[in-house]
Amino acid sequence: MTACWRKPCSSGRVAVPNEPPYMTPPQTPARRRFLFQGASLLAAASLPAWARASSSSSAGGRQLDLLNTHTHERLDLVYAVGGDYLDPSLSRLNRFLRDHYTGQVGSMDPVLFDQLHQVRTLLGARMPYEVISGYRCPETNGRLRQTGGGGVAKKSLHMEGRAIDVRLPGVPLAELRDAALSLQAGGVGFYPESQFVHIDTGRVRRW
């Protein structure tokens, strides 16, 4: 069985003074199934619209197709099924999106992959994303700030595995930017001179 990563959840009940003892009804199979379905619906309703669409799309799983412009490696895989992220796929993505300057492998935010998946779905794109930058270690980030001619933030989310710079062959860069902005899921940067769009899982903003 494939190992999966699932975000934990918690719940609690606030006590009311002088309230009579609360008796838990017997957990029959039918009741357990009802409670589980109700909790699942509440959890889904709490997600942003783009995340609900991403989770429900493609019963066979959510897929990414990526081409690294520096290493020339290509990776085409299913990384999640329903609410579950597939650990082996996440490990392969972490390595694929490693710092190409140092070879250091970071831990990418799986929510970033959902954003990429949803943007590609919205655009109806068939070509793989061309990845300019994924994970970036602090040493690389510092060096690029000194020699890269600007555009590299001191506290870049690339260092946290929460940002990626991409383009999509056949899709105008402005359309890629607008699709990412429509999600309202994080930061979106537009770099027409360098031909890429920055997408991250930070607060909603644009530049």
Side-chain angles (χ1 to χ4, degrees):
M1 180 179 292
T2 303
C4 298
W5 178 93
R6 186 189 291 271
K7 181 180 288 187
C9 62
S10 60
S11 61
R13 182 172 181 271
V14 178
V16 178
N18 302 319
E19 183 184 28
Y22 179 78
M23 302 298 293
T24 303
Q27 296 294 303
T28 63
R31 177 176 173 80
R32 282 197 296 269
R33 185 164 55 251
F34 172 78
L35 292 173
F36 173 78
Q37 292 172 345
S40 299
L41 290 172
L42 285 173
S46 67
L47 293 172
W50 70 269
R52 291 199 300 273
S54 183
S55 296
S56 61
S57 65
S58 179
R62 299 195 293 286
Q63 175 258 357
L64 282 178
D65 191 357
L66 307 170
L67 175 67
N68 192 308
T69 59
H70 301 283
T71 66
H72 306 293
E73 298 169 326
R74 183 169 177 178
L75 186 61
D76 185 353
L77 82 175
V78 172
Y79 70 91
V81 177
D84 296 326
Y85 295 103
L86 308 180
D87 284 341
S89 295
L90 295 185
S91 294
R92 293 179 65 189
L93 283 161
N94 285 340
R95 172 149 185 84
F96 181 86
L97 296 170
R98 65 191 180 275
D99 185 327
H100 63 271
Y101 290 99
T102 67
Q104 185 172 331
V105 177
S107 180
M108 301 298 294
D109 183 354
V111 176
L112 187 62
F113 303 145
D114 286 335
Q115 292 182 22
L116 291 175
H117 169 77
Q118 188 63 10
V119 165
R120 194 163 179 257
T121 300
L122 288 171
L123 294 169
R126 294 292 178 264
M127 296 295 287
Y129 278 107
E130 293 184 352
V131 178
I132 289 83
S133 181
Y135 173 73
R136 192 185 296 156
C137 72
E139 293 77 15
T140 294
N141 198 75
R143 183 169 63 254
L144 291 177
R145 276 180 56 79
Q146 295 176 352
T147 64
V152 179
K154 183 177 182 180
K155 296 183 179 180
S156 172
L157 290 179
H158 283 278
M159 296 188 293
E160 299 178 23
R162 298 177 61 196
I164 193 167
D165 299 334
V166 294
R167 55 177 171 253
L168 261 176
V171 175
L173 204 64
E175 290 186 19
L176 176 59
R177 172 202 61 195
D178 292 345
L181 286 170
S182 73
L183 300 184
Q184 289 291 290
V188 178
F190 186 54
Y191 296 88
E193 300 85 2
S194 302
Q195 281 295 293
F196 70 79
V197 170
H198 167 104
I199 300 174
D200 68 44
T201 61
R203 60 185 176 80
V204 177
R205 64 208 189 285
R206 63 180 297 175
W207 63 92

